[in-house]
Amino acid sequence: MQDNNGKPPRTLTITALAGAGVLLSAVAFLGWIVQGPDMFLTMAENGLSWCF
């Protein structure tokens, strides 16, 4: 007889890790949506300053 009471099921662990990855991706995408235009303008201004 097996005693598996001490560790969580494998599918629960995989689901938790996948959920954490999706949450992290969503937060990164939301940050890009909010800060993207400012980052783009800053990069464009710095790039133009190298040209002049």
Side-chain angles (χ1 to χ4, degrees):
M1 197 155 114
Q2 293 179 345
D3 185 19
N4 291 332
N5 293 336
K7 58 183 179 179
R10 183 178 172 122
T11 55
L12 180 63
T13 305
I14 292 172
T15 303
L17 289 175
V22 168
L23 184 63
L24 182 64
S25 297
V27 168
F29 183 70
L30 182 62
W32 178 257
I33 293 294
V34 171
Q35 301 293 331
D38 293 334
M39 289 189 289
F40 178 75
L41 288 175
T42 301
M43 289 179 162
E45 289 171 354
N46 287 337
L48 287 175
S49 69
W50 282 96
C51 294
F52 294 116

